[in-house]
Amino acid sequence: MLDAPPLAPRVLIVEDDPNVAEVVARYLEREGYRVETTADGAVGLERALQDLPDLVVLDLMLPSMGGLEVCRRLREVAPVPVIMLTARGEEADRIAGLELGADDYVAKPARSKLTWSPMRRASAVSWCR
């Protein structure tokens, strides 16, 4: 019997701007990732905890629960790679996200291939575990 091919890494995008979520999802799907999206912080955390993704792309400013809190709670449970994707580019925001366990921080708008390289690195690390 033949072994089934491995599933592509799964990325959970938690982003309340539908245009940004769509752009990120399309890019990742073209790169071969399976993508799930949600626009709400609490829902994103619940989905991540129910079925751990290989990577979480997380906005900071979200309805019901902010991205920093989602990251903190997720990190209490699992070492899932987290990339913060946000318009808030101040150094203090970056430091807060990284201190809470984010693996990298990408500022919006994310338009170039260079912008996406942290996602590739983070998901590759997860994929190799």
Side-chain angles (χ1 to χ4, degrees), residues 17-70:
D17 181 327
N19 295 323
V20 173
E22 182 180 353
V23 168
V24 174
R26 280 188 189 173
Y27 176 82
L28 292 171
E29 287 168 346
R30 275 197 314 266
E31 293 294 314
Y33 297 94
R34 293 177 298 135
V35 177
E36 179 181 354
T37 62
T38 184
D40 182 89
V43 172
L45 178 63
E46 181 179 324
R47 286 188 188 170
L49 294 176
Q50 286 174 353
D51 184 16
L52 290 175
D54 297 295
L55 172 67
V56 175
V57 177
L58 184 60
D59 188 13
L60 279 184
M61 297 180 286
L62 294 163
S64 79
M65 181 184 300
L68 292 175
E69 183 63 15
V70 172

Side-chain angles (χ1 to χ4, degrees), residues 8-120:
R10 187 171 66 88
V11 178
L12 174 62
I13 300 170
V14 186
E15 168 61 63
D16 63 336
D17 181 327
N19 295 323
V20 173
E22 182 180 353
V23 168
V24 174
R26 280 188 189 173
Y27 176 82
L28 292 171
E29 287 168 346
R30 275 197 314 266
E31 293 294 314
Y33 297 94
R34 293 177 298 135
V35 177
E36 179 181 354
T37 62
T38 184
D40 182 89
V43 172
L45 178 63
E46 181 179 324
R47 286 188 188 170
L49 294 176
Q50 286 174 353
D51 184 16
L52 290 175
D54 297 295
L55 172 67
V56 175
V57 177
L58 184 60
D59 188 13
L60 279 184
M61 297 180 286
L62 294 163
S64 79
M65 181 184 300
L68 292 175
E69 183 63 15
V70 172
C71 184
R72 185 187 70 74
R73 290 187 187 189
L74 185 57
R75 285 298 195 199
E76 289 176 348
V77 178
V80 175
V82 175
I83 304 293
M84 294 288 191
L85 176 66
T86 186
R88 292 171 61 173
E90 292 81 28
E91 187 174 344
D93 291 324
R94 288 176 180 246
I95 291 169
L98 295 170
E99 286 179 346
L100 284 172
D103 294 282
D104 214 330
Y105 197 109
V106 177
K108 295 179 203 174
R111 293 190 177 120
S112 72
K113 279 201 166 207
L114 181 61
T115 301
W116 302 108
S117 62
M119 290 183 209
R120 271 204 201 103

